[in-house]
Amino acid sequence: MEAINVSKKFRAVCYEIMDGSYESIEKLDAFPEYLHQAMAVKAAVAFFDKDYDKAIQLVEGIMPYWDEWYYSNVCNEYMAAMAFAAKEIGREENVREIIKAEQERLLAADREKCEAGRHQRYNYCKIMLDYLDTGRMPKSGKELEYVVPADAKSKEELISSMKLKNATAKDKIKLYGVLCMKGFPEDAVRAYEEIKDELLSETDRENAIIRYLYLGEDEKALETIECLATARLWSVAAPTQVRPMNFFTHPMMHKFLRDEGSLARIRNAAFIDNGIVKRK
């Protein structure tokens, strides 16, 4: 099975849906040649509308066809969303069987690679089965169990050691990165607030969310998640990524994805096209 390049017309419909047009969803049916891609778009919308039964059904139908996508992380994100949804509506056993069926299919197709631990999707299936049992995802330790560095240094100490002379945006971003690694969380988030309107990486914003949650500043954490949604870096993997599906791989975001009010804010932020990510 080879990866598929969708047409410009199909991409255009995806972008309409990404921008918040629910009316454009029915346009997907005009592209029978992209059946699985259309299912992925509809599933993404369903996940962010908390229509979990529909979303799970759609992802189950796509599972044998993930090779039609160029990037393996697309499959991971949908599996994470499906497992999350299953735990929300009590369908763990059903989704466990879906994932096990995919494992068996992959094993039959390339037993040597799977058994050697070199098959990325097969390995992620195991991770999702563990999540269904334990509630822990790979990022759980980093995101939910943050601890202040034992030898944390103050902002002033780090500025001195770094010999920063100018308070340029570049200096401030550099200082923020060092504070995340070696400083106190209070200093790190205050430094983040000085640069939050700059063009930052996903990791920069994720680090801020982790520290806001540690400090009990949930509103600030949610505002930062909204920034991630608006930046749309999540959309570059495939045009079918009409919602920030990678958010489901972040345990720290789960409580916001569960809450109707927070989810609406994230969804609305994702609808904003700020032009940072260029459309092809």
Side-chain angles (χ1 to χ4, degrees):
M1 190 183 303
E2 295 183 357
I4 292 176
N5 279 316
V6 298
S7 68
K8 288 184 178 179
K9 288 184 178 180
F10 184 84
R11 286 174 181 266
V13 175
C14 290
Y15 293 142
E16 290 173 10
I17 297 167
M18 189 186 302
D19 292 345
S21 172
Y22 281 84
E23 293 78 10
S24 296
I25 295 174
E26 64 183 29
K27 294 181 182 180
L28 296 169
D29 297 333
F31 301 90
E33 67 273 31
Y34 303 130
L35 174 62
H36 305 130
Q37 289 69 30
M39 290 169 68
V41 172
K42 293 175 182 179
V45 172
F47 278 122
F48 276 84
D49 287 349
K50 299 186 78 171
D51 190 353
Y52 293 146
D53 284 311
K54 179 179 179 180
I56 290 171
Q57 180 183 13
L58 286 165
V59 175
E60 180 179 11
I62 305 168
M63 288 295 276
Y65 303 102
W66 287 118
D67 286 336
E68 294 181 2
W69 277 259
Y70 283 97
Y71 303 103
S72 61
N73 61 309
V74 173
C75 171
N76 293 353
E77 291 164 11
Y78 277 80
M79 278 205 284
M82 181 173 64
F84 170 87
K87 291 178 74 68
E88 290 298 293
I89 60 175
R91 286 186 59 181
E92 291 95 334
E93 286 305 315
N94 173 220
V95 168
R96 188 175 283 107
E97 291 307 310
I98 293 171
I99 295 174
K100 284 182 177 179
E102 175 66 358
Q103 277 190 308
E104 292 172 4
R105 190 187 70 80
L106 295 170
L107 193 62
D110 196 339
R111 178 173 295 274
E112 181 180 353
K113 191 173 180 180
C114 291
E115 292 183 343
R118 293 184 287 106
H119 198 296
Q120 191 275 339
R121 197 182 314 156
Y122 183 83
N123 292 340
Y124 204 77
C125 284
K126 292 195 290 186
I127 290 170
M128 287 299 98
L129 289 172
D130 182 68
Y131 167 67
L132 288 171
D133 290 335
T134 68
R136 289 184 62 83
M137 282 189 172
K139 296 176 183 175
S140 295
K142 174 187 174 184
E143 298 185 348
L144 301 177
E145 299 164 17
Y146 167 79
V147 294
V148 180
D151 56 348
K153 293 178 172 57
S154 69
K155 177 181 177 180
E156 292 70 27
E157 288 178 294
L158 290 171
I159 289 175
S160 177
S161 65
M162 293 169 65
K163 298 180 180 179
L164 292 177
K165 296 180 179 180
N166 302 309
T168 64
K170 185 176 180 179
D171 286 338
K172 290 179 179 179
I173 293 172
K174 182 178 180 181
L175 174 61
Y176 168 66
V178 175
L179 281 167
C180 286
M181 291 187 293
K182 301 179 179 180
F184 293 98
E186 296 88 348
D187 287 336
V189 296
R190 300 294 91 83
Y192 167 75
E193 287 166 7
E194 292 185 25
I195 60 170
K196 65 181 181 181
D197 294 329
E198 301 290 337
L199 186 59
L200 301 177
S201 69
E202 286 187 305
T203 299
D204 287 333
R205 300 208 189 271
E206 289 162 9
N207 281 334
I209 296 166
I210 290 167
R211 285 153 183 80
Y212 277 133
L213 292 175
Y214 174 81
L215 296 169
E217 298 187 46
D218 284 15
E219 175 59 26
K220 291 286 188 180
L222 178 55
E223 289 173 5
T224 309
I225 294 172
E226 289 179 278
C227 288
L228 271 177
T230 302
R232 286 193 173 182
L233 297 176
W234 43 268
S235 70
V236 299
T240 54
Q241 299 288 82
V242 297
R243 300 287 187 272
M245 295 297 295
N246 67 321
F247 285 13
F248 288 100
T249 69
H250 288 285
M252 66 184 176
M253 298 188 191
H254 285 182
K255 68 177 180 179
F256 299 108
L257 295 172
R258 289 188 185 99
D259 179 75
E260 291 282 1
S262 299
L263 180 60
R265 287 174 55 178
I266 294 168
R267 187 172 56 237
N268 290 339
F271 291 162
I272 300 170
D273 178 12
N274 62 11
I276 293 175
V277 175
K278 302 303 180 185
R279 297 178 172 184
K280 296 180 182 180

